[in-house]
Amino acid sequence: MSTERVCPGYLHNFDLVLRDQTAYVRSKAQRKRRRGPTHANTTTNPNATAASPQVAAPASYQQPADGARTGSNSSFATNSSSGNTATALIPRSFNDSPESQAVCSFFTNYVLIPRHPYSRRGYLECLLPLYTTAREDSLLSLATSAMALAIHGGAPSRRHCRALSRSSFGKALVMTSKAIRDPVESIKDETLMAVLLLSFYERVLATAEDAPISGVHDTGAVALVKHRGKENGKSELSARLLLAVQTQVVEHCIDTSTPFQKTSAEIDSLRPQLFENAASRLTSLSAKMTDFKAFANSILQNPNQFPTKEQLFSILEYASDVEAQVSAWPDNVPPESRWTPSHSFDDLPSYERKKFVYGHRVDIYHDIWLASIWNSYRASHIMIQDVVLQTLTYLNPPPTSHRSHSTTVTAIFKIQQMADDICASVPFNLGTKTFGGAYDHPETRYPTADGVIRPSSDYRKAASGLGGYFLMEPLKTASKATCLREGQQEWILKTIERVQRIYNIGKSIERKTSETPSPKYPNNR
């Protein structure tokens, strides 16, 4: 009986594998399989074939370029050698392998979620157009599978996906070594995107296993940028990938306290073609901050020489210059990209509120990425002021001038302010989540703007998948500050443990070291 309702369909192809069948649909399919082919299909009437209409394939299943995919997994791939082209283009079954589920989940929860224009500085938004035209056995497909399986395996019940991700990662390394030696493949956007994903994979696994990041793929991405040259970076997609390389290198420099070297002149020459937003401007400032931190560490952490007074004052002068540039960054941020206070958690019981909220502040943002950018800004402030306080402790006797005392008070005040702001963003990133990995659970509650009943589904997906990962580095930076108010450092450390428990990261996980050597990227100096 028809109810004349229009099926809304799926939002996109990557949603297909994630839909659960009802018990009725499963039993109906099993009855059809047991029944076998019907009499109508085996009829010998010579007119039956002539009377049967030709089945037209939907537009979304039209034959793509040779070897390219039209969906999220191999069930959407078509057989060009089939005699009945129209019916062959319609998939007969869905691929429910762990790899396909992981890839679909990766695109649904990480790639396809809309973002505010001012928060775009990565490269995942460039992945879909490249992935949909890539071959099933391509380097980009393997790198995407490795990345998706690594994230999908974060839950304890899917630990086997981590082992599968290592297998895909090893195969991708072998293909990377071949691609960067090929004069055609080495200049493709697809190859550079794959190298960025391999670097992302390394970062995710290092975070999960509490291991150091080698940065070999960041260095490889820089080498590919130089190898590609200006002629192969004129499109908007290529320019965004080049900017993503710079962002990733800056993040690695911050992690390792190494000075930032300009990746190549090509990035600066292509930057006018890009839409410069708040995120990209903060990346440029972060590059200057990494140089400052490396300069300060070379003096303060030199075991062979005690810093001289001239060196210490040069650090303070350098810090003042960088601090002024970082402090000016919010001046160009539009009001809609800032945070607003929320009172939606005021009704939580006191014992729950102490666990999920520090003090009495809960701030909400336009999206998770904007919250992450603001927290990166705050972490930069904390690192600069922490170096200032370290430098002042080396001055013996301690400075007693009004200027030095004012510098100390200002540094402590800014660190405390930035730590409070980071703590106020925790409910927006985590909500009341205490388990479940990178997936949304209905019982998890997230803060909303005053007057809004429930948060959007896109925000819940992003917060569940990325909120904890985005919080780790800012929280770690804040936890190392020595001038926090009483109880704040303990609350931050407990929140870090909570993130580690939710995403199964930072714990001792059995590691299988791949015997596949890292690819030797081109070195164009």
Side-chain angles (χ1 to χ4, degrees), residues 22-94:
T22 63
Y24 171 73
V25 173
R26 288 196 297 268
S27 62
K28 182 178 178 181
Q30 291 171 0
R31 287 198 301 271
K32 284 187 176 181
R33 282 197 294 268
R34 287 196 297 267
R35 202 176 301 157
T38 62
H39 178 70
N41 292 335
T42 59
T43 179
T44 58
N45 184 353
N47 298 324
T49 304
S52 300
Q54 182 70 18
V55 179
S60 59
Y61 296 124
Q62 294 301 314
Q63 178 72 20
D66 183 30
R69 63 169 60 77
T70 56
S72 62
N73 51 56
S74 59
S75 65
F76 293 97
T78 59
N79 186 1
S80 59
S81 62
S82 174
N84 191 351
T85 308
T87 55
L89 291 175
I90 302 176
R92 298 303 181 189
S93 62
F94 296 120

Side-chain angles (χ1 to χ4, degrees), residues 180-458:
I180 60 181
R181 288 174 173 80
D182 188 293
V184 176
E185 295 293 327
S186 61
I187 62 176
K188 286 185 177 180
D189 292 338
E190 183 181 320
T191 303
L192 182 57
M193 171 63 80
V195 173
L196 287 169
L197 284 175
L198 294 179
S199 178
F200 189 17
Y201 172 90
E202 182 188 38
R203 187 177 296 274
V204 168
L205 264 291
T207 303
E209 301 174 354
D210 202 14
I213 302 173
S214 68
V216 63
H217 298 294
D218 292 329
T219 306
V222 174
L224 280 179
V225 167
K226 296 179 180 180
H227 175 70
R228 285 156 56 99
K230 295 182 180 180
E231 293 301 318
N232 297 290
K234 292 184 176 180
S235 68
E236 182 180 356
L237 177 60
S238 300
R240 286 190 177 277
L241 289 177
L242 291 175
L243 190 58
V245 171
Q246 186 186 35
T247 301
Q248 199 139 309
V249 172
V250 168
E251 290 177 354
H252 178 70
C253 290
I254 293 175
D255 293 338
T256 58
S257 298
T258 54
F260 172 76
Q261 302 293 336
K262 277 195 173 181
T263 54
S264 65
E266 286 83 357
I267 291 180
D268 292 332
S269 65
L270 286 167
R271 185 166 297 172
Q273 302 178 18
L274 294 173
F275 170 68
E276 189 178 45
N277 56 17
S280 61
R281 288 193 293 270
L282 183 61
T283 299
S284 300
L285 292 174
S286 298
K288 297 179 181 180
M289 196 206 66
T290 57
D291 291 339
F292 159 70
K293 189 176 179 182
F295 171 76
N297 287 344
S298 66
I299 296 175
L300 299 179
Q301 299 181 8
N302 185 352
N304 301 320
Q305 183 181 2
F306 192 83
T308 64
K309 183 174 292 188
E310 290 75 15
Q311 289 176 324
L312 295 174
F313 279 111
S314 67
I315 293 176
L316 294 176
E317 185 177 353
Y318 197 167
S320 177
D321 180 55
V322 177
E323 170 71 20
Q325 296 182 57
V326 174
S327 297
W329 174 78
D331 296 341
N332 297 318
V333 178
E336 64 269 18
S337 299
R338 298 174 181 267
W339 66 93
T340 56
S342 171
H343 301 90
S344 57
F345 273 21
D346 289 352
D347 60 342
L348 287 177
S350 59
Y351 69 93
E352 284 192 8
R353 185 176 177 83
K354 290 179 181 179
K355 181 167 59 174
F356 301 128
V357 180
Y358 177 77
H360 301 283
R361 271 186 63 187
V362 175
D363 295 337
I364 59 174
Y365 301 76
H366 184 276
D367 59 33
I368 288 293
W369 289 273
L370 275 176
S372 171
I373 291 168
W374 276 104
N375 281 338
S376 297
Y377 160 78
R378 294 156 183 158
S380 298
H381 265 299
I382 292 176
M383 283 188 279
I384 294 171
Q385 299 305 326
D386 189 55
V387 171
V388 169
L389 291 179
Q390 289 182 46
T391 305
L392 291 174
T393 60
Y394 273 88
L395 292 171
N396 189 20
T400 56
S401 66
H402 174 73
R403 181 179 178 183
S404 298
H405 178 72
S406 175
T407 303
T408 303
V409 173
T410 301
I412 293 175
F413 174 78
K414 287 185 177 179
I415 289 176
Q416 183 63 72
Q417 182 184 24
M418 296 299 114
D420 289 344
D421 290 347
I422 292 173
C423 291
S425 73
V426 169
F428 182 78
N429 283 267
L430 290 180
T432 59
K433 190 172 188 174
T434 57
F435 69 94
Y439 296 95
D440 187 20
H441 293 272
E443 60 269 24
T444 302
R445 181 176 170 183
Y446 290 96
T448 59
D450 295 345
V452 178
I453 299 177
R454 61 175 61 88
S456 68
S457 60
D458 286 336

Side-chain angles (χ1 to χ4, degrees), residues 97-108:
S97 66
E99 180 180 354
S100 297
Q101 292 183 10
V103 170
C104 291
S105 173
F106 177 64
F107 275 91
T108 300

